[in-house]
Amino acid sequence: MIFTFDSSQPGAPVLSGAVGALRAVVKACAVDGFGAGAVASLTVASGVATATYAGAHPFKAGHVAQYAGATPAALNGNKVILSATGNSVTFAAPGVPDGAATGTITSKAAPAGWQELFSGSLANVIALKPSVPEATGCVLRIDDTTTSRARVVGYEAMTDINTGTGRFPTEAQFAGGLYLPKSDATTTAARPWRMYISERVMILAVAPLGTYLETYGVYVLGDFVSSKGVDPYACMVSGGGLGVSTTSAGSVLDGSAGLVSRTSTDYACYVARGALGIGGALGLNKLGPLAAATRLFSGSSGYATMPLTFPNLSDNSLRVGPVDLYQGGDLRGVLPGVYHSPQPLIGGGAFATGQRVVGQGPYAGRTFEAITVGDPSSNPTGVMFVDISGPWGV
């Protein structure tokens, strides 16, 4: 199941340059949920439940809501929202008899079910790991004790909030951990964010500059789809540059999932170990479909090895493809849930962040959400897509 969240939802935590703001967003989406409130009525007709609220609710079609307190009990638990209006939502209720539910019924935006380790042991620092047994078991540690940006590292295992083994990246590779940008302002001014989470990986999108609120960096944290199949070290972290106002210079570190890093050593993406399971942390490059050069954003001009048009002339289509991860000559795996387009998608308002596209052909049955991407200090230069239907393969 894919859990999707964004900063426009009622009750969503506010991302800002304040200490702890990013930790609050991650914890709400991965562990706690948000937007809890009472359900005014819950009725079932022909296998579809309609929940009505006295006021606003935090749900959109495709979101996951968590219901509690209802009788029949089959109406409780996590439910994928089929449709939403200003004060009501629907979800599938197969096998539930028609009629009105009873009880003190509540709902909230459902969390993705991750484990928080060492809760409360260090202010504004969080350690997380997936709870499903098939996950690698690696731990993500986010240090949000400063303004403007947080730091992230992975560990193969941790014994307390400050101590672990198998760190990636190592201190020598990237001192202090990779950066997750929050805001160019050290105030409580809100910045837009989006989060997409499965049981094993999270995709965090942040637009940190107040001047360019449609320019997102997108960071993948957690397990990825390994070429090896069973792979106990297929866990990655990615991060941004040294600040939140980076330029397009090739020397700038940027692990954004919307960016190709075909030959660059400034990848800002690290995996716990190589495919052989020996040694330690290694850098990962990203290669999208038909990528022509290093450090170009999906959907930007010049991205592809050949001139393309949008839409494609012969069939009026948008073309997308998965993003490969590689180390030297080893195709290590694939970014989960992330898709690039080799077509030029910026200009003329072709796509806006949050716009959804229904897949066809090999992507039939999937829905993709667009994110406009680029270096934070300028207008968007590209568009990437996240599969909000799943599964992602991890």
Side-chain angles (χ1 to χ4, degrees):
M1 183 175 288
I2 308 302
F3 298 77
T4 64
F5 311 90
D6 69 75
S7 52
S8 71
Q9 294 176 254
V14 174
L15 179 64
S16 71
V19 170
L22 182 63
R23 176 190 176 277
V25 169
V26 173
K27 189 173 188 295
C29 297
V31 180
D32 296 334
F34 61 81
V39 178
S41 66
L42 182 59
T43 60
V44 178
S46 302
V48 175
T50 300
T52 303
Y53 298 83
H57 59 77
F59 309 118
K60 301 176 183 178
H63 285 182
V64 182
Q66 188 175 94
Y67 288 89
T71 300
L75 295 173
N76 297 320
N78 289 350
K79 308 294 182 182
V80 178
I81 299 302
L82 300 176
S83 65
T85 66
N87 70 340
S88 69
V89 301
T90 65
F91 60 87
V96 178
D98 288 359
T102 60
T104 302
I105 307 170
T106 61
S107 70
K108 66 178 180 179
W114 287 47
Q115 295 177 268
E116 180 183 5
L117 308 180
F118 323 115
S119 176
S121 56
L122 186 59
N124 299 311
V125 177
I126 190 169
L128 296 165
K129 65 181 293 186
S131 58
V132 294
E134 60 269 26
T136 62
C138 293
V139 181
L140 304 175
R141 183 184 188 272
I142 297 175
D143 182 335
D144 196 10
T145 54
T146 60
T147 60
S148 295
R149 58 201 184 189
R151 310 295 292 272
V152 61
V153 295
Y155 286 94
E156 292 178 22
M158 295 190 76
T159 54
D160 62 55
I161 195 65
N162 290 319
T163 309
T165 57
R167 173 176 158 163
F168 54 102
T170 65
E171 185 69 10
Q173 288 169 331
F174 204 112
L178 300 173
Y179 291 90
L180 293 176
K182 298 189 293 183
S183 174
D184 58 324
T186 58
T187 67
T188 57
R191 294 291 182 262
W193 59 267
R194 311 184 82 82
M195 183 79 89
Y196 311 86
I197 314 181
S198 74
E199 290 84 356
R200 296 176 61 179
V201 61
M202 60 181 69
I203 301 171
L204 170 67
V206 177
L209 260 71
T211 311
Y212 301 103
L213 293 178
E214 285 299 318
T215 307
Y216 285 80
V218 184
Y219 307 105
V220 178
L221 309 170
D223 295 354
F224 60 87
V225 184
S226 174
S227 300
K228 189 176 179 180
V230 178
D231 189 341
Y233 303 107
C235 185
M236 66 177 289
V237 294
S238 60
L242 299 181
V244 294
S245 57
T246 61
T247 68
S248 60
S251 62
V252 174
L253 292 167
D254 193 343
S256 175
L259 185 74
V260 167
S261 59
R262 183 170 63 88
T263 59
S264 174
T265 57
D266 296 331
Y267 19 66
C269 298
Y270 289 87
V271 62
R273 299 191 195 185
L276 297 179
I278 58 177
L282 295 170
L284 289 169
N285 284 107
K286 305 184 296 292
L287 180 61
L290 304 181
T294 192
R295 208 176 196 288
L296 286 173
F297 286 93
S298 164
S300 61
S301 177
Y303 176 97
T305 54
M306 61 196 76
L308 297 175
T309 61
F310 174 77
N312 191 56
L313 293 176
S314 63
D315 56 4
N316 200 42
S317 65
L318 165 69
R319 297 303 179 105
V320 299
V323 181
D324 292 322
L325 297 169
Y326 67 101
Q327 302 164 323
D330 180 28
L331 184 60
R332 188 71 170 86
V334 178
L335 273 181
V338 172
Y339 291 80
H340 281 197
S341 175
Q343 296 166 291
L345 303 179
I346 287 294
F351 292 96
T353 294
Q355 183 174 340
R356 294 181 177 181
V357 180
V358 177
Q360 298 180 14
Y363 298 120
R366 296 178 183 265
T367 299
F368 299 87
E369 196 161 274
I371 306 176
T372 51
V373 292
D375 289 304
S377 61
S378 63
N379 288 316
T381 55
V383 180
M384 60 167 282
F385 297 88
V386 176
D387 172 12
I388 63 172
S389 303
W392 290 347
V394 291

